[in-house]
Amino acid sequence: MPELPEVEAALEFLRTRARGRAIARVRLLHPALQRRLSPAQLQALAGARIARVERRGKHQLLHLDDGRVLHAHFRMNGDWALTETNAPLPRFARAAIDLDDDTSLIFVDSRALGTIDLHPAGVALDLGLGPDAADPEWTASQLADELARRRGPVKPALLDQRLVAGLGNIYAAESLWRARISPFAPGNALARERVQSLREAIDAVLRRATGSRYTDDDTVTLDVYDREGLPCRRCRTPIERAVQAGRSTYFCPTCQPREIAAKHGTAKKTAKKTAKKTAKKTAKKTAKKTAKKTAKKGAKKTAKTIAKKPAKRAARSRRA
Ligand SMILES: [Zn+2]
């Protein structure tokens, strides 16, 4: 999936090839895109000039000189190609933006999941994005505050564009490996200094990514992503793969031990507290019910038995 560095590379392409040019015609070549833009909207694009291009997370905004915004998103594997307007279309061409110099920007997308939308002028675009992963002003402290609110594992949290915009499955995995954090560690279990390492790792990983197309180019050497069974570049332990929130997650079981969350205390304490609370609640409820039927002694026994169960469950989820 194109992530921040790849989208930034696409933006650079648009800056050099399309910025300042007027749109002669936009052709939508796939039904999924035709549903997003009406024929009237398409027609009204002719003559508009691409004044500037902007990246927000993984979104591409082509600001037109009249204030409208052509908004492209590659999703799983889109990309731009530049052809002469009359040249045969490349395979998987989903849209063509014909420019006034007889070249065409082709939206190429084999999965056809990418999107192109048009936003009217004068509307503030809210894409629901958190701070940009490449923004130097995005601090570890901000990241820590966000993660502190999340009980779920840190890896899916990093993919949430509201938490940080621009990271995807690959660079999230790479960043966690670099920071030696288990993808399974609960967000709120990470101590501040761990989050500081994570913030630095994200920065290093994004800087290192050249924006070349990792899928068909070896210039970006990944440390952990897609390296299942291969030796960890730090400790030689075979890299493992797991499915997490429906996505492949790669990690080194030695450098990124799952116990790391417990080691840092918070998770253990929280889990214990939660277990105790749940146990108390359950126990109280059951005790009340039982008390109605039986003597007080019986209620106490039941409460004790039930109190153990949630504690066990919490321990299990800590390991998972
Ligand atoms: Zn390792």
Side-chain angles (χ1 to χ4, degrees):
M1 182 166 65
E3 301 182 28
L4 191 154
E6 291 75 38
V7 176
E8 186 55 41
L11 256 287
E12 193 49 41
F13 175 80
L14 292 177
R15 271 181 209 116
T16 52
R17 305 295 191 149
R19 188 173 52 180
R21 300 241 72 95
I23 294 172
R25 185 167 66 135
V26 175
R27 292 174 281 158
L28 299 181
L29 310 165
H30 191 276
L33 290 180
Q34 284 157 2
R35 282 193 289 271
R36 305 185 79 93
L37 285 171
S38 71
Q41 279 181 310
L42 276 186
Q43 262 185 358
L45 281 170
R49 198 167 290 278
I50 300 169
R52 78 191 163 90
V53 293
E54 181 196 3
R55 182 185 60 74
R56 282 197 210 165
K58 295 184 252 182
H59 299 255
Q60 302 168 56
L61 304 180
L62 286 74
H63 294 271
L64 306 180
D65 55 357
D66 57 15
R68 286 179 297 169
V69 178
L70 204 52
H71 171 193
H73 196 312
F74 287 154
R75 305 283 165 192
M76 292 311 282
N77 61 348
D79 204 354
W80 294 108
L82 190 78
T83 67
E84 286 179 14
T85 297
N86 294 322
L89 290 165
R91 200 173 173 212
F92 304 125
R94 305 305 184 194
I97 302 174
D98 300 339
L99 302 172
D100 60 353
D101 62 349
D102 294 323
T103 62
S104 296
L105 286 172
I106 314 288
F107 193 85
V108 183
D109 179 8
S110 63
R111 304 269 293 267
L113 293 170
T115 56
I116 297 179
D117 296 294
L118 182 66
H119 302 288
V123 176
L125 271 191
D126 181 10
L127 303 177
L129 301 175
D132 196 90
D135 184 350
E137 295 188 2
W138 175 50
T139 63
S141 162
Q142 278 174 277
L143 175 59
D145 290 345
E146 281 297 323
L147 287 174
R149 284 191 228 129
R150 309 211 176 204
R151 273 180 290 177
V154 61
K155 163 87 183 324
L158 289 178
L159 300 186
D160 181 352
Q161 302 296 299
R162 291 168 300 180
L163 187 145
V164 56
L167 288 186
N169 207 27
I170 296 174
Y171 296 119
E174 293 291 301
S175 301
L176 288 168
W177 177 85
R178 205 176 173 99
R180 300 175 190 248
I181 294 171
S182 165
F184 305 98
N188 65 2
L190 296 172
R192 292 255 154 182
E193 65 267 23
R194 307 289 304 153
V195 179
Q196 177 69 41
S197 311
L198 178 58
R199 174 67 191 93
E200 285 163 16
I202 291 170
D203 200 44
V205 162
L206 292 180
R207 273 175 202 277
R208 190 174 146 194
T210 60
S212 55
R213 308 302 191 260
Y214 52 84
T215 42
D216 49 12
D217 192 320
D218 288 330
T219 53
V220 179
T221 313
L222 298 173
D223 282 320
V224 69
Y225 185 84
D226 206 19
R227 297 193 73 242
E228 184 181 12
L230 294 172
C232 170
R233 296 196 200 279
R234 258 191 313 246
C235 74
R236 315 302 294 165
T237 306
I239 296 299
E240 289 183 11
R241 185 184 84 95
V243 175
Q244 198 181 19
R247 310 287 301 273
S248 280
T249 287
Y250 299 86
F251 61 99
C252 169
T254 305
C255 295
Q256 301 167 272
R258 293 188 185 208
E259 296 73 42
I260 197 121
K263 267 185 199 167
H264 289 277
T266 327
K268 226 180 196 174
K269 275 181 204 161
T270 316
K272 262 190 187 168
K273 266 187 194 168
T274 317
K276 266 188 190 168
K277 263 189 195 169
T278 319
K280 261 186 189 167
K281 271 185 197 167
T282 319
K284 265 188 187 170
K285 269 186 194 170
T286 320
K288 268 184 190 171
K289 266 188 195 170
T290 320
K292 276 180 187 172
K293 289 177 188 170
T294 57
K296 274 183 184 175
K297 271 185 187 175
K300 268 184 189 169
K301 253 188 199 172
T302 320
K304 265 185 192 168
T305 324
I306 292 163
K308 275 180 189 168
K309 277 183 185 170
K312 267 187 192 167
R313 205 178 300 142
R316 226 182 4 252
S317 71
R318 247 195 338 269
R319 279 196 301 273

